[in-house]
Amino acid sequence: MKNLLRYVLTLLLIIAAAAPALAENKGEKELHALLNDALAAFKAKDLDKMMSFYEHSADLVAYDVVPPTQYTGWDAYKKDFQEFFDMFEGPINDEVSDMAVVAEGNMAYSRMVEHVTGKQKNGQPMEMVVRVTDVYRKSNGKWLIVHEHVSVPVDLESGKAVLQAGK
């Protein structure tokens, strides 16, 4: 009986120690699925689907590579996405690398490098490499982006963006 009690207590301690890691893995898996869905929406230029991943709030803040560079509120960022999508003829290609996702409790972040290519409506090709960092909050069982930061490296001597960096 003593051995059975020790076994049960040991098993309970192992389960208690593993529970936070299992919950964290669940959050990270949910965010990987969200990112895959967001990437598909981005490539398809599906504005409504794309914006469904963001907190529909005036508190949303996004830093982007195009002026005004800071977009405050869901409506402002939706307009920025619409203007970006409108530049392209057909779908957008987007290859993601260096992705990392960390989730703990109801907060999380992700980072990645995106190689974006496509044909603009003016017939010119577009190619750029951007770095994207997102902050998420889980509310009512759903992860939403509450802050986004998109950037490109800068050549300090010329002061120009380096759109092909990291390729």
Side-chain angles (χ1 to χ4, degrees):
M1 185 67 156
K2 259 185 171 181
N3 285 341
L4 178 60
L5 183 57
R6 275 189 222 160
Y7 174 74
V8 169
L9 286 174
T10 302
L11 186 60
L12 288 174
L13 286 172
I14 290 170
I15 291 170
L22 292 174
E24 181 175 318
N25 289 339
K26 181 182 179 214
E28 289 173 8
K29 287 178 184 175
E30 291 171 346
L31 286 166
H32 277 286
L34 180 151
L35 287 166
N36 285 335
D37 290 347
L39 183 60
F42 181 81
K43 288 177 176 181
K45 301 186 304 187
D46 185 340
L47 182 63
D48 291 332
K49 181 71 172 173
M50 192 71 221
M51 293 309 298
S52 74
F53 303 108
Y54 293 86
E55 179 179 65
H56 195 150
S57 159
D59 295 330
L60 173 68
V61 174
Y63 298 122
D64 202 354
V65 296
V66 295
T69 67
Q70 179 175 329
Y71 296 86
T72 303
W74 187 88
D75 292 323
Y77 204 37
K78 180 179 182 181
K79 184 177 183 288
D80 178 45
F81 261 113
Q82 182 67 64
E83 290 171 356
F84 180 76
F85 288 159
D86 286 347
M87 292 173 52
F88 290 89
E89 183 71 40
I92 302 170
N93 299 307
D94 190 350
E95 296 174 23
V96 174
S97 62
D98 196 28
M99 181 188 288
V101 176
V102 175
E104 188 171 320
N106 69 339
M107 295 297 295
Y109 71 88
S110 67
R111 65 161 169 76
M112 68 194 84
V113 175
E114 295 184 50
H115 179 212
V116 179
T117 59
K119 181 180 176 186
Q120 296 179 74
K121 287 184 177 174
N122 66 10
Q124 295 295 313
M126 177 184 274
E127 179 178 9
M128 66 180 170
V129 174
V130 295
R131 304 167 296 188
V132 180
T133 303
D134 288 321
V135 178
Y136 307 84
R137 182 176 28 244
K138 190 172 191 178
S139 180
N140 298 321
K142 184 176 180 180
W143 290 103
L144 293 172
I145 300 168
V146 296
H147 177 77
E148 182 161 84
H149 190 119
V150 181
S151 66
V152 294
V154 173
D155 178 325
L156 295 177
E157 286 186 29
S158 70
K160 305 265 185 209
V162 180
L163 297 177
Q164 307 304 311
K167 236 181 104 182

